Amino acid sequence: MKDSVIVLSGGMDSVTLLYDKREHIALAITFDYGSNHNQREAAFAALHCQRLGIEHLVIPLAFFGQYFKSSLLEGADAIPDGDYDADNMQSTVVPFRNGIMLSIACGMAESRGLTKVLIANHFGDHAIYPDCRASFIRPMSEAMKAGTYIGVEVWAPYTDITKTDIARIGKQLGINYGETYSCYKGREKHCGCCGTCRERIEALREAGIDDPTEYETLSK
């Protein structure tokens, strides 16, 4: 039954969720909020939706870049290199990004009579991004349910698993991760050095997937 909207960036996690739950998804929404890698991700989001025959909308959120503070909105040079940990990656937090996106997706869902909003947050995000944690997702879902006539809820099935676990799901589904984008610097090739690239490399390696990604510098 197609009862769901998915927040789809075009990165590894959300593309995996798209294929994993495709039988339930009526609409995919990509938010253009001005991040360094937004356009490269969005192109893959559109590709996969076209392939699966799922309606895809891009919703502009230009005010993020105007009013919010984050290295993710400030160009490639603002993104730190190094391991994916709280000290290194905290500058990439876009304040309440998931809260805002889930709210919009909730309104879209109710407008279409859909009762679930899917999001691909995972366990590896918890230390760095407050709006990826179960302690946020649960009450956000309750607020959405209380604030809609049809009881729209958040469906976040990857909250308690790792990116490696997600890659293993993608491997079973036959996803080509060369058709996803992760690097926070947003260049033509993944930099291979930033925390997100390092996390991607590690997840694919641990899942036993030959990495199809082109990197400027490969840090393993």
Side-chain angles (χ1 to χ4, degrees), residues 125-141:
D125 292 329
H126 293 188
I128 303 164
Y129 304 108
D131 57 0
C132 287
R133 299 170 188 162
S135 59
F136 167 78
I137 294 294
R138 283 194 298 265
M140 185 68 185
S141 182

Side-chain angles (χ1 to χ4, degrees), residues 25-141:
I25 297 170
L27 174 66
I29 299 174
T30 299
F31 292 100
D32 182 1
Y33 62 101
S35 73
N36 302 329
H37 62 318
N38 222 164
Q39 297 306 310
R40 297 193 184 279
E41 279 192 319
F44 285 123
L47 170 71
H48 291 291
C49 287
Q50 182 179 30
R51 185 174 292 164
L52 295 174
I54 293 172
E55 182 183 359
H56 179 231
L57 297 177
V58 177
I59 296 180
L61 299 176
F63 67 87
F64 272 50
Q66 290 178 275
Y67 302 114
F68 289 16
K69 177 70 174 177
S70 169
S71 63
L72 203 58
L73 306 171
E74 296 172 2
D77 292 342
I79 301 297
D81 290 337
D83 292 331
Y84 197 90
D85 57 39
D87 290 339
N88 189 46
M89 295 296 287
Q90 193 167 353
S91 74
T92 67
V93 172
V94 180
F96 207 61
R97 176 181 61 180
N98 282 348
I100 294 166
M101 292 180 179
L102 285 170
S103 297
I104 295 169
C106 175
M108 289 292 297
E110 183 163 45
S111 296
R112 302 238 182 158
L114 305 170
T115 58
K116 295 184 179 68
V117 175
L118 277 69
I119 187 169
N121 59 298
H122 63 84
F123 188 79
D125 292 329
H126 293 188
I128 303 164
Y129 304 108
D131 57 0
C132 287
R133 299 170 188 162
S135 59
F136 167 78
I137 294 294
R138 283 194 298 265
M140 185 68 185
S141 182

